[in-house]
Amino acid sequence: MSLLAPGGLPAGLDTPALVVDEARLEANLARTADTMRRAGVALRPHAKTHKSVEVARRQRAHGAAGLTVATLGEADVFADAGVDDLFVAYPLYASAAKAPRLRALAERVALRVGVDSAGGAAALGDACPGLAVCVEVDSGHHRTGVAPADVVGVADAARRAGLRVAGVFTFGGHGYAPDMPPGAGADERDALAGAAAHLTEAGYDLAVVSAGSTPTATYSARPPVTEERPGIYPFYDAQQLALGSCTVDDVALVVAATVVSVGADGRRVLDAGSKVLGADRPAWVRGHGLLPAYPDVTPAWLGEHHGVVDVPDGAVAPALGEVVALVPNHVCQVVNLADEYTVVRDGGHVGTWPVDARARNR
Ligand SMILES: Cc1ncc(COP(=O)(O)O)c(C=O)c1O
């Protein structure tokens, strides 16, 4: 029985709750691992999505080379759990507060960290001599990273600072728009190929050429890329559905929410607002998530504790007190706001997994 079908959630849930379909999760983990294996590219999933030691354990069991994280706090949680190979894919600035944490982490795991400036490299070198770094390349998202032509300057600064330049990485976040993933994946590959060529010419020996996001990973997974870092693929979400990264049958996580009020105009109000669902709503998705069992209604706006669902005249809608399965827009935000996952298989409750790295955002 699908989680998304009417009656697909286990009975007796205390809502709002994050419910994971274990069989679909396993299928998603296996499929992406297999795709990357066939492409000859290492899989280094971004653990900021799930923040879960149990999901990380399963990713490793499917052959993940290590994990990607965004913060030292996330890295500490996974290192404590025995993950011994971590990439902080972020231009970490080694402030006085972060330097000792970084050093302690580098002593206990194989670690690399992102860098995109000479100043950042100098601070990392002071904090942690000999640390492995990857220079971040901007492949079109225009968030962080330098142009391919400017990587040698950053790499030279890193070398002068006593760091070891292990490679380059990029995040093609401009793939987050309709029809954009294939082109953004190609941009990732092209920008990394250009950057790697500049560095090789300058005498650097690169072990790592790292790309990826869930929408672009399948498009950029070919030489010279050596690893991909998708994060959302274990669960997927409404954004990924809109981008074509998955089908509705792949969605492995829903927010279970109860209809707490029915307005005179027929609107339903759910007990999941922005404190559960996050606020992400790009212009290219229909609402604040999807209710697959009720395709004609739209979660239209959120209060902190209220999810207000518009119900057009004549549309079939859930009843007062009914528990519905909502596919959230951006699962990373939803997980970051939750304490635990309720895990089900074949409609029955099989366990509860903590969100181990919840709020470890520094
Ligand atoms: C640097 C970096 N790598 C990988 C990812 C994972 O991409 P996605 O969330 O699309 O799976 C992200 C997501 O923001 C990221 O910032």
Side-chain angles (χ1 to χ4, degrees), residues 73-249:
E74 288 176 351
D76 284 338
V77 168
F78 292 107
D80 287 347
V83 179
D84 57 3
D85 191 335
L86 294 169
F87 176 23
V88 183
Y90 190 86
L92 188 77
Y93 191 82
S95 62
K98 291 219 174 353
R101 298 177 59 207
L102 178 63
R103 267 195 304 278
L105 182 66
E107 276 166 20
R108 63 188 183 132
V109 299
L111 181 66
R112 53 179 142 94
V113 172
V115 65
D116 76 348
S117 65
L124 285 173
D126 283 346
C128 199
L131 179 70
V133 292
C134 282
V135 180
E136 185 170 4
V137 182
D138 181 357
S139 53
H141 188 36
H142 306 322
R143 184 178 69 178
T144 45
V146 297
D150 295 331
V151 286
V152 174
V154 178
D156 287 349
R159 194 159 57 182
R160 280 195 304 276
L163 300 166
R164 186 167 65 78
V165 178
V168 285
F169 80 105
T170 195
F171 170 65
H174 55 304
Y176 271 83
D179 303 324
M180 286 297 283
D187 290 345
E188 288 186 322
R189 215 173 56 237
D190 291 348
L192 289 171
H198 286 300
L199 286 169
T200 306
E201 203 175 304
Y204 288 91
D205 189 13
L206 301 184
V208 180
V209 179
S210 176
S213 68
T214 295
T216 60
T218 51
Y219 301 107
S220 53
R222 58 206 65 161
V225 170
T226 62
E227 75 174 18
E228 290 282 347
R229 307 182 314 274
I232 291 171
Y233 77 95
F235 300 137
Y236 296 111
D237 56 24
Q239 289 191 143
Q240 301 302 329
L241 275 169
L243 294 171
S245 309
C246 63
T247 71
V248 75
D249 291 332

Side-chain angles (χ1 to χ4, degrees), residues 25-106:
L25 167 67
E26 272 298 316
N28 293 341
L29 297 180
R31 190 173 52 252
T32 295
D34 188 51
T35 303
M36 294 304 147
R37 205 173 291 119
R38 285 168 194 270
V41 168
L43 177 60
R44 183 178 287 274
H46 207 315
K48 79 183 172 79
T49 299
H50 56 70
K51 291 175 173 273
S52 156
V53 167
E54 177 58 27
V55 178
R57 186 188 67 71
R58 291 169 183 242
Q59 288 174 320
R60 293 302 298 267
H62 282 282
L67 292 183
T68 303
V69 293
T71 67
L72 292 177
E74 288 176 351
D76 284 338
V77 168
F78 292 107
D80 287 347
V83 179
D84 57 3
D85 191 335
L86 294 169
F87 176 23
V88 183
Y90 190 86
L92 188 77
Y93 191 82
S95 62
K98 291 219 174 353
R101 298 177 59 207
L102 178 63
R103 267 195 304 278
L105 182 66

Side-chain angles (χ1 to χ4, degrees), residues 285-351:
V285 299
R286 197 172 84 180
H288 285 279
L290 301 169
L291 296 172
Y294 299 99
D296 298 329
V297 308
T298 307
W301 61 276
L302 303 179
E304 284 179 61
H305 295 278
H306 302 76
V308 181
V309 179
D310 280 351
V311 178
D313 279 350
V316 180
L320 182 70
E322 187 171 332
V323 177
V324 293
L326 183 147
V327 180
N329 279 347
H330 188 179
V331 71
C332 305
Q333 295 208 339
V334 172
V335 169
N336 186 52
L337 295 168
D339 289 321
E340 64 187 23
Y341 299 101
T342 298
V343 185
V344 302
R345 188 178 265 274
D346 300 328
H349 183 201
V350 292

